[in-house]
Amino acid sequence: MKKTIALALCALLAAACASKAPAPATSAESGGEKKTFVVGYSQSNNAEPYRAQLNLQLQHFMKQYQDIELLPIADARQSSATQVSQVQNFITQKVDALIVSPTEPAPLTAAVQQACDAKIPVIILDRTVNTDCYTAFIGGDNVLIGRKAGEEAVKLLPDGGNIVELRGILSNQPQIDRDKGFREAIAANPKIKIIADREAKWLKEQATPIMQQWLAQHPDIDLVYGHNDPMALGAYLAAKAAGKAEQIRFLGIDGLAIPDGGIRAVQLGQLSATFIYPTGAKEAAETVNKILHGQQVEKEQVLGTTQVTKDNAADLYKQFDLSGQN
């Protein structure tokens, strides 16, 4: 009997949650004429290569849908206040669908709720918010990716060693999860220590001077774990300038197929490995199209990862490169 009651309660809760999200559109026709759907996207920060690439990919894949117009992408520049304003502006414009990559979860929650209340379908891309009133979430498993990076660190340092960790914005959930998974994995070898960690806000230019300080303070760094490739490469540049790059291993995350991205860095031997963090752009475009045409979508779409090594880097670059040059 208890099991029956529990199942019934789960069904009621599921129905209640589903009822919070806006219903998808049911027709592309308006007044007998074919309708063009308008989609707004608020990006957290265009300055990060990962997000710039995400923007390009989203524009690329969205063009495949002739009746969907993607408005100019709004850049929040790592400001939650700016991003809240952008989301509210899209709501005022009455867009047909909204995509948001939140800078921070808490400040954006109310704005996403406002869009939901306005019956605008919302896709949360990459980073979470503190409400379930959205239509779909698309993103990677950052704990898993952090754990895989930690497992690689254990392989690279079988006899133990000292690690420094370059973190993203401390309030960002991906940063929290990438740190969590990594620390769980390196616990397999008690001789591995994290001797320093600092916020570098996902940016190469912030990571380089931090690494310069660490090199002066810690002559025995064995491995750098960057929460993304730009920070890992910023540390690599500092180590190279100090003549210590050959002594240190570098791990990153993102694995972008661009000339200065992580896959190429692995090919060049600058990074020992990186882990592809899918942009979700293709999935976001597909999901928007389905929503606007009244089709059902998965509410939680968690994307997988692939470790990039010297052995598979060339093939992965060709697979993910959208420049048309391969």
Side-chain angles (χ1 to χ4, degrees), residues 148-149 152-157 222-226 229 232-233 236 245-253 261-275 306-313:
K148 286 187 173 295
E152 182 63 17
V154 171
K155 289 180 183 176
L156 292 170
L157 304 175
D222 298 298
L223 186 144
V224 175
Y225 169 42
D229 292 335
L233 288 169
Y236 170 83
E246 299 300 321
Q247 309 166 24
I248 302 173
R249 305 295 183 93
F250 299 85
L251 295 177
I253 293 173
I263 296 179
R264 189 68 83 204
V266 172
Q267 286 182 285
L268 296 173
Q270 297 167 337
L271 300 183
S272 297
T274 186
F275 300 83
T306 301
Q307 180 171 345
V308 182
T309 67
K310 272 205 165 182
D311 292 336
N312 64 9

Side-chain angles (χ1 to χ4, degrees), residues 165-177:
E165 181 182 11
L166 289 159
R167 307 172 70 152
I169 296 173
L170 295 183
S171 58
N172 287 169
Q173 193 62 39
Q175 179 279 136
I176 295 169
D177 291 344

Side-chain angles (χ1 to χ4, degrees), residues 14 110 126 135 154 162 172 178 240 246 256 279 300:
D126 174 42
T135 310
V154 171
N162 295 323
N172 287 169
R178 291 176 187 186
K240 185 179 180 182
E246 299 300 321
L256 295 177
T279 64
E300 305 292 329

Side-chain angles (χ1 to χ4, degrees), residues 1-11:
M1 176 61 78
K2 288 182 178 178
K3 184 176 180 180
T4 302
I5 294 173
L7 288 172
L9 286 172
C10 287

